[in-house]
Amino acid sequence: MDDRIMKVNLKVWRQENAKAKGHFVTYSDVETTPDTSFLETLDILNEKLVEKGEEPIAFDHDCREGICGMCSLYINGHPHGPAIGATTCQLYMRRFKDGELITVEPWRSAAFPVIKDLIVNRNAFDQIQQAGGYVSFNCGGAQDANDLPIAKVEADAAMDSASCIGCGACVAACKNSSAMLFVSAKVTQFSHLPQGQVETARRVKAMVKKMDELGFGNCTNTGACAAECPKLIPLANIGRMNRLFIAAKIKD
């Protein structure tokens, strides 16, 4: 374990509330260690701020195991920081140099308004899932899932898409704040399985419509979303969703 003391300078976005004008505040010589996580470093800074009688930095977190997707911070120009395939809570200070200036911001998207400091409202993703991200059936009449033969390649593809944690890194990475990677993952995870294929057309139309209503931008085709995704959701999902959407509209 590397418990050497290192110091970093944190340039953090502070914003009192959604209506207030935000600004950056630099906190110098924050002590941490290479094996300390980024969120734990923010905890250390907050303890010092509380001791001084200052307002601690508000940031989202829950499981701290890379599962919940709440630790959504924009660090040095990257969603979740410089680590590939990792969330902010899985980012360790050994990724940074001693004395480095680290810029920390919230997601920047009209669909994700800032609540306070580094916390944004990601309810838009919940609304998209509610619009169609589920499988409906008549209770008591459904066939046992284990009785449905599913090819391993299809099951694996569905699970790869289902690994999306809805953190919003794809939106933060896209210059148009597009949610296409997130929506395509939720559409794809069902479209690979027989239980979800019955409602594929309704689902893809409803979720795309809700995405557009909530103000997310169009896909830029640059692939930044997939490059920054902590769960490495493949870009091919967007192509699959587009094909399903076009087929559904043609059928109409």
Side-chain angles (χ1 to χ4, degrees), residues 159-173:
M159 287 299 295
D160 288 345
S161 296
S163 66
C164 170
I165 56 178
C167 66
C170 52
V171 177

Side-chain angles (χ1 to χ4, degrees), residues 29-180:
D29 297 328
V30 179
E31 291 190 356
T32 184
T33 69
D35 284 345
T36 299
S37 74
F38 196 86
L39 293 189
E40 288 171 335
T41 299
L42 289 179
D43 291 335
I44 293 171
L45 173 56
N46 276 343
E47 288 178 2
K48 298 296 183 182
L49 293 177
V50 171
E51 289 175 1
K52 295 178 182 178
E54 299 180 22
E55 183 75 15
I57 300 166
F59 62 95
D60 248 337
H61 62 93
D62 191 3
C63 73
R64 299 204 177 192
E65 295 180 351
I67 299 173
C68 71
M70 294 184 67
C71 57
S72 305
L73 300 181
Y74 204 78
I75 303 169
N76 281 354
H78 293 277
H80 293 296
I84 297 175
T87 55
T88 303
C89 61
Q90 296 173 312
L91 177 68
Y92 290 87
M93 299 310 295
R94 55 179 172 267
R95 287 277 180 175
F96 305 97
K97 297 178 181 179
D98 191 13
E100 183 175 347
L101 176 64
I102 305 171
T103 303
V104 189
E105 305 171 71
W107 284 172
R108 303 291 189 180
S109 171
F112 291 158
V114 175
I115 297 175
K116 183 175 182 179
D117 293 341
L118 303 174
I119 301 177
V120 300
N121 185 347
R122 289 176 296 159
N123 177 257
F125 272 9
D126 295 329
Q127 293 184 55
I128 292 174
Q129 291 201 83
Q130 290 166 5
Y134 56 89
V135 174
S136 61
F137 59 90
N138 296 319
C139 295
Q143 184 177 354
D144 190 294
N146 292 329
D147 290 338
L148 296 175
I150 302 172
K152 186 178 186 303
V153 65
E154 293 292 329
D156 287 347
M159 287 299 295
D160 288 345
S161 296
S163 66
C164 170
I165 56 178
C167 66
C170 52
V171 177
C174 180
K175 58 187 178 183
N176 282 353
S177 296
S178 173
M180 290 284 280

